[in-house]
């Protein structure tokens, strides 16, 4: 029904000149600029057939390969300097770790309400889940996308994490092994990377400038965003978490397996903001280096930050502690726990078993 009404609307718009007014109000933001998209609606809507299922293909005409873009320019659909700035989103989405825009088709529908409430329903992500093509603007990249819930109402999204929580927050259809990110980043947690608010720890000694735990000068950065960690491996590539060559759709490499060996590359993601010299110099946890680099005299390999830390947050422990269950086990007394002695005391204890080494508990 909607498609029929829509087809009629487009049909009349293309025939009668009066429709020009309707034109302008429907299409705003970057795509509404006639200097750039002279043929407005027709740049995306071809003839009578508005296929919603493959909307990304119409986007790739301009946000894909240079060959397709030139075709749009020749057809008079795209004009001006902005055309040369357009990045190739299609090639990002073809990278090994990506949002499944190309692989999952026909699940998205208009007016759907997310987070999903039906268990086991199919998951998806389309361009139009994250961008409203009639309204998107440089200043407000989420303009027109609704979903942030306030009580029973759904309001427009203004912050990136609100967009991500639509599908990675309290969704009834999260895949096995995937967790609710909204819970992990809650500012009432014992610890969390500072996305929604400044972090729980006021003294994070390893932070590199401009990052600080508390914003004191204008140049300080004390909150970060999902896309500081998730996005293109190419720093000069397009913004946004479309695709990456790194596992986890991360902007830099992060070895999560045990026993790989320490290097700038192995934990490149963390070392962007946390000084490697400080971490390996044991400025906070006095046994960081022993665990990360390993103990050569005992022929013990090092382990990943991932064995002890969660990259998002922890409702249970301070310092983002979360033991990787594939590596860390209960000790002989059946205990597996971390106890801190407050922030900035640099003392605590661990009860666990790891690589056959009993911590019953071990104090630091
Ligand atoms: C940049 C590409 C693009 C341009 C330009 C564009 N549209 Fe769309 N339009 C889309 C896509 C993609 C959808 C499907 C949206 C979805 O599935 O959520 C759509 C859907 C629609 C719908 C159905 C929306 C609904 O909520 O039922 C209408 C009506 C529409 N467009 C009208 C227009 C008109 C009129 C113009 C010109 C003034 C225009 N569009 C220009 C990409 C575009
Ligand atoms: C006819 C060419 C064309 C088509 C088709 C097209 N776009 Fe665009 N898009 C542009 C241009 C030009 C810009 C402005 C780029 C600039 O100013 O740097 C832009 C900008 C954007 C932006 C970025 C806003 C910002 O922060 O700069 C998004 C997001 C976007 N388009 C999404 C889409 C989606 C989704 C579709 C498909 C539904 C689509 N576009 C289809 C030409 C197009
Ligand atoms: C419309 C739904 C939707 C939205 C909005 C969304 N995602 Fe996703 N995301 C998915 C789906 C579907 C997958 C595939 C795996 C799954 O089902 O969780 C995925 C996968 C991911 C992955 C894992 C990729 C991998 O290869 O390991 C990351 C990281 C991710 N998304 C981050 C984000 C971030 C950051 C945002 C906000 C900017 C976001 N997502 C917004 C649907 C969404
Ligand atoms: C400090 C870096 C960092 C930040 C900030 C960050 N992530 Fe992640 N994220 C990671 C790492 C590392 C992994 C892979 C390891 C893992 O699964 O814990 C990951 C994995 C994921 C996954 C795939 C695993 C799963 O549970 O589905 C999703 C989805 C995801 N992140 C979403 C988000 C969202 C949404 C935000 C912002 C609200 C965010 N991340 C912020 C580092 C980060
Ligand atoms: C984009 C910058 C950024 C990246 C990348 C990053 N961090 Fe952080 N991290 C921060 C900031 C800012 C804080 C300060 C939060 C606070 O004040 O509690 C922090 C705090 C921490 C804390 C202390 C939290 C607490 O409550 O005591 C740990 C542990 C941590 N990060 C580990 C990691 C690990 C492991 C990685 C790699 C997977 C990583 N970080 C990647 C910016 C980053
Ligand atoms: C899971 C959500 C998600 C999906 C799916 C998605 N994007 Fe994005 N995209 C983002 C985010 C987040 C940004 C960064 C916005 C910002 O911070 O400016 C972005 C940025 C962009 C930009 C601007 C890049 C730049 O460097 O200025 C374009 C263009 C774009 N997306 C087009 C697309 C197209 C076309 C598709 C589908 C083929 C698509 N996106 C699918 C989330 C998404
Ligand atoms: C064997 C477990 C373990 C491993 C592996 C580990 N950490 Fe830690 N880390 C801790 C503990 C415990 C603390 C809390 C120390 C305290 O009480 O102050 C900590 C504290 C931190 C802090 C907060 C204080 C500071 O230094 O700024 C950061 C950041 C951090 N770790 C980053 C990392 C990174 C990055 C890696 C990997 C390169 C890593 N950790 C590997 C156990 C570990």
């Amino acid at each position: 029904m909607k498609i029929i009404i829509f087809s009629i609307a487009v049909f009349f718009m293309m025939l009668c000149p009066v429709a020009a007014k309707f034109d302008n109000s429907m299409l705003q933001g970057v795509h509404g600029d006639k200097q750039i998209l002279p043929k407005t609606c027709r740049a995306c809507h071809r003839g009578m057939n508005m296929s919603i299922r493959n909307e990304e293909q119409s986007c790739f005409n301009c946000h894909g390969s240079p060959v397709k873009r030139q075709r749009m320019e020749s057809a008079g659909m795209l004009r001006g300097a902005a055309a040369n700035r357009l990045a190739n989103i299609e090639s990002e989405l073809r990278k090994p770790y990506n949002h499944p825009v190309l692989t999952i088709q026909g699940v998205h529908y208009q007016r759907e309400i997310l987070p999903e409430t039906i268990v086991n329903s199919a998951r998806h992500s389309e361009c139009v889940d994250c961008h409203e093509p009639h309204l998107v603007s440089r200043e407000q990249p989420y303009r027109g996308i609704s979903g942030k819930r306030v009580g029973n109402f759904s309001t427009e999204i203004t912050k990136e994490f609100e967009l991500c929580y639509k599908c990675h927050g309290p969704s009834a259809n999260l895949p096995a092994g995937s967790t609710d990110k909204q819970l992990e980043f809650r500012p009432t947690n014992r610890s969390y990377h500072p996305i929604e608010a400044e972090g729980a720890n006021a003294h994070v000694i390893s932070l590199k400038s401009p990052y600080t735990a508390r914003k004191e000068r204008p140049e300080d950065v004390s909150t970060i965003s999902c896309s500081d960690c998730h996005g293109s491996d190419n720093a000069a590539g397009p913004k946004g978490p479309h695709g990456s060559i790194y596992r986890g759709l991360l902007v830099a490499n992060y070895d999560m397996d045990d026993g790989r060996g320490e290097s700038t590359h192995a934990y490149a993601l963390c070392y962007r903001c946390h000084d490697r010299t400080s971490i390996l110099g044991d400025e906070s946890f006095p046994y960081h280096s022993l665990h990360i680099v390993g103990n050569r005299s005992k022929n013990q390999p090092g382990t990943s930050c991932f064995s002890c830390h969660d990259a998002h947050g922890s409702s249970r422990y301070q310092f983002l502690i979360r033991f990787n269950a594939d590596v860390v086990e209960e000790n002989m007394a059946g205990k597996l726990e971390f106890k801190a002695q407050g922030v900035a005391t640099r003392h605590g204890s661990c009860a666990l078993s790891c690589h056959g080494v009993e911590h019953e508990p071990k104090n630091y």
Side-chain angles (χ1 to χ4, degrees):
M1 184 60 191
K2 242 185 246 154
I3 293 175
I4 297 170
I5 295 175
F6 166 68
S7 306
I8 294 170
V10 172
F11 182 72
F12 277 105
M13 264 169 17
M14 284 172 182
L15 288 187
C16 58
V18 193
K21 269 190 218 140
F22 174 60
D23 230 356
N24 285 337
S25 63
M26 177 101 208
L27 194 60
Q28 301 163 23
V30 279
H31 295 137
D33 185 341
K34 287 209 183 108
Q35 303 298 316
I36 305 175
L37 266 65
K39 299 195 178 172
T40 69
C41 321
R42 270 189 289 160
C44 300
H45 297 288
R46 291 288 164 76
M48 293 303 102
N49 180 14
M50 175 56 221
S51 165
I52 287 156
R53 302 216 148 176
N54 268 318
E55 103 288 354
E56 68 268 17
Q57 297 305 332
S58 79
C59 311
F60 293 152
N61 284 328
C62 295
H63 297 287
S65 71
V67 179
K68 286 187 195 155
R69 206 176 309 142
Q70 272 145 27
R71 238 180 268 147
M72 291 299 273
E73 290 189 76
S74 313
M77 299 278 191
L78 175 65
R79 207 164 56 194
N84 305 325
R85 287 201 295 268
L86 294 176
N88 190 339
I89 304 286
E90 183 172 9
S91 61
E92 292 291 314
L93 290 166
R94 290 197 190 282
K95 288 178 173 175
Y97 302 96
N98 56 52
H99 266 103
V101 173
L102 296 167
T103 44
I104 300 177
Q105 306 271 321
V107 178
H108 166 89
Y109 60 94
Q110 282 174 40
R111 314 262 180 277
E112 71 188 354
I113 294 178
L114 299 170
E116 185 59 64
T117 51
I118 301 163
V119 185
N120 293 335
S121 56
R123 286 179 59 79
H124 72 279
S125 68
E126 298 287 355
C127 314
V128 293
D129 284 307
C130 299
H131 307 290
E132 162 52 91
H134 307 106
L135 299 173
V136 66
S137 77
R138 288 206 151 274
E139 303 70 43
Q140 294 164 273
Y142 313 114
R143 187 157 170 228
I145 300 283
S146 70
K148 178 190 175 189
R149 289 216 184 142
V150 180
N152 288 327
F153 298 97
S154 184
T155 64
E156 199 162 286
I157 278 170
T158 55
K159 300 205 176 72
E160 183 193 70
F161 63 80
E162 295 167 351
L163 172 67
C164 313
Y165 290 167
K166 282 179 76 169
C167 302
H168 299 293
S171 294
N173 64 346
L174 284 179
S178 194
T179 48
D180 180 340
K181 302 293 166 254
Q182 191 165 3
L183 287 180
E184 290 171 3
F185 286 108
R186 236 178 218 172
T188 49
N189 282 346
R190 300 297 293 275
S191 59
Y192 52 90
H193 261 127
I195 300 269
E196 294 189 38
E198 287 187 330
N201 186 347
H203 307 280
V204 181
I205 192 167
S206 63
L207 283 174
K208 295 204 282 204
S209 171
Y211 298 102
T212 54
R214 296 290 175 267
K215 191 177 174 78
E216 275 150 16
R217 300 163 306 164
E219 63 270 30
D220 291 344
V221 177
S222 61
T223 54
I224 61 176
S225 69
C226 310
S227 51
D228 282 320
C229 294
H230 295 290
S232 180
D233 50 278
N234 175 2
K239 287 192 282 176
H242 304 106
S244 169
I245 59 168
Y246 298 121
R247 186 174 153 198
L249 216 175
L250 294 166
V251 295
N253 183 60
Y254 183 44
D255 282 359
M256 293 173 241
D257 300 326
D258 186 37
R260 280 281 185 88
E262 197 279 341
S263 67
T264 45
H265 180 70
Y267 310 120
L269 177 71
C270 314
Y271 293 155
R272 285 193 155 203
C273 304
H274 297 283
D275 184 34
R276 182 177 179 228
T277 315
S278 166
I279 299 285
L280 299 182
D282 296 336
E283 286 194 334
S284 56
F285 179 41
Y287 299 113
H288 256 151
S289 170
L290 176 72
H291 288 90
I292 299 165
V293 178
N295 189 338
R296 292 214 177 85
S297 62
K298 291 190 184 163
N299 215 7
Q300 268 168 357
T303 195
S304 169
C305 326
F306 188 73
S307 298
C308 301
H309 293 290
D310 194 288
H312 296 140
S314 172
S315 57
R316 192 165 169 207
Y317 295 133
Q318 291 180 330
F319 312 113
L320 301 177
I321 296 292
R322 184 267 306 115
F323 296 113
N324 178 1
D326 293 342
V327 181
V328 185
E329 299 171 328
E330 289 179 353
N331 65 14
M332 242 101 91
K335 284 216 155 167
L336 175 49
E337 74 181 335
F338 169 67
K339 274 194 188 138
Q341 291 181 6
V343 170
T345 62
R346 312 241 149 85
H347 292 291
S349 69
C350 295
L352 52 82
S353 172
C354 192
H355 287 183
V357 181
E358 277 287 297
H359 294 48
E360 46 190 30
K362 281 194 190 285
N363 301 315
Y364 68 87

